[in-house]
Amino acid sequence: MERSLETQVSQAVDAWLAWLPRWEPATHRGRVAPCRRCFGSPVLSAAGLGADVPHGVQHGLSTRIKTIVDHAVAEYTARNLPMLQAELDQQAARNRARSYRPAEGLEPEFEGLPLDPDPVPGAPFLFTVAGLAAADEQEIPALPPLSDEAKAALRQEVGLADDYANMIGREVCAILLHHRLRIQAAIAEYVEPQIAAMLEELTRSLDAPFDPPADPSQPPL
């Protein structure tokens, strides 16, 4: 039996809450570009995860919810949009022909993130994961071109799929409002103490940037 949308969202939130105690603040250099999936996301707004919540925490939930919306749109497309479904099937077959697919099979906390870190000026990469994947994709034959009529029909079906995705997205956001309290309680229990500890450590390092000498009778170096 197909699970209701309410059940799917509840289970996604449950899975995110089960993961959240394992979250730790990132210690590497942050990215310059915002995450396209999370920046300004109405899903995160509905869940009560504002800009003050670390991106790693946001991304795990937004990805799980996106999977629900994508699944609903895929079912709608299979039932009602044959031309778009045929195009997606061809693209899926093309993707399966690639021998190197580094962006597939990732945990929700990492899905959709860039494959490589931001470059450091003056220190170019010898190679990048994204570059290797792109080189592998170039070896796969392109999809056959479409006629102008087929392109117009395909655009119409894509528009219908987008409208359906927006409708499902609004329903999901309405459902998430009912989970806000337990989401915020988990943030207060697992995330805020770690952020507070980081700020306290930063304050101490700014107040005393240099360690005192081991022997008070000796002048500092």
Side-chain angles (χ1 to χ4, degrees), residues 9 12-13 16-17 20 38 40-53 57-63 65 169-188:
V9 172
V13 174
W16 177 79
L17 291 174
L20 192 60
C38 298
S41 168
V43 166
L44 296 177
S45 297
L49 298 181
D52 56 335
V53 177
V57 174
Q58 296 177 333
H59 195 85
L61 181 60
S62 64
T63 297
I65 298 301
R170 289 191 294 269
E171 292 184 17
V172 164
C173 288
I175 295 170
L176 276 173
L177 292 174
H178 301 291
H179 296 274
R180 266 193 166 202
L181 290 179
R182 62 188 190 126
I183 288 173
Q184 292 173 354
I187 293 295

Side-chain angles (χ1 to χ4, degrees), residues 205 208-212:
S205 64
F210 302 104
D211 293 331

Side-chain angles (χ1 to χ4, degrees), residues 68-147:
I68 296 173
V69 177
D70 288 347
H71 179 70
V73 174
E75 290 188 335
Y76 172 80
T77 300
R79 290 194 306 265
N80 304 288
L81 308 175
M83 191 164 200
L84 177 57
Q85 185 62 55
E87 191 74 10
L88 293 174
D89 290 342
Q90 291 184 65
Q91 185 62 59
R94 186 175 184 272
N95 290 338
R96 287 194 297 270
R98 292 159 46 202
S99 59
Y100 185 54
R101 302 190 292 270
E104 296 182 10
L106 300 177
E107 295 296 327
E109 294 75 33
F110 305 104
E111 182 185 332
L113 294 177
L115 297 175
D116 300 287
D118 289 333
V120 177
F125 295 123
L126 294 177
F127 64 89
T128 62
V129 174
L132 293 175
D136 183 71
E137 184 176 4
Q138 291 176 359
E139 300 178 1
I140 307 299
L143 296 177
L146 298 174
S147 66

Side-chain angles (χ1 to χ4, degrees), residues 18-34:
W19 163 81
L20 192 60
R22 302 196 300 272
W23 175 81
E24 293 181 356
T27 56
H28 54 76
R29 183 170 59 93
R31 291 188 175 275
V32 176

Side-chain angles (χ1 to χ4, degrees), residues 141-220:
L143 296 177
L146 298 174
S147 66
D148 291 341
E149 294 79 5
K151 289 180 181 178
L154 183 60
R155 282 195 294 269
Q156 183 178 10
E157 290 196 358
V158 169
L160 292 172
D162 287 343
D163 291 342
Y164 187 79
N166 290 333
M167 183 191 72
I168 294 296
R170 289 191 294 269
E171 292 184 17
V172 164
C173 288
I175 295 170
L176 276 173
L177 292 174
H178 301 291
H179 296 274
R180 266 193 166 202
L181 290 179
R182 62 188 190 126
I183 288 173
Q184 292 173 354
I187 293 295
E189 181 176 359
Y190 299 113
V191 177
E192 292 178 358
Q194 296 193 64
I195 300 302
M198 289 182 63
L199 293 176
E200 183 180 355
E201 182 179 354
L202 177 61
T203 300
R204 288 198 303 267
S205 64
L206 292 176
D207 289 342
F210 302 104
D211 293 331
D215 186 354
S217 64
Q218 298 294 325

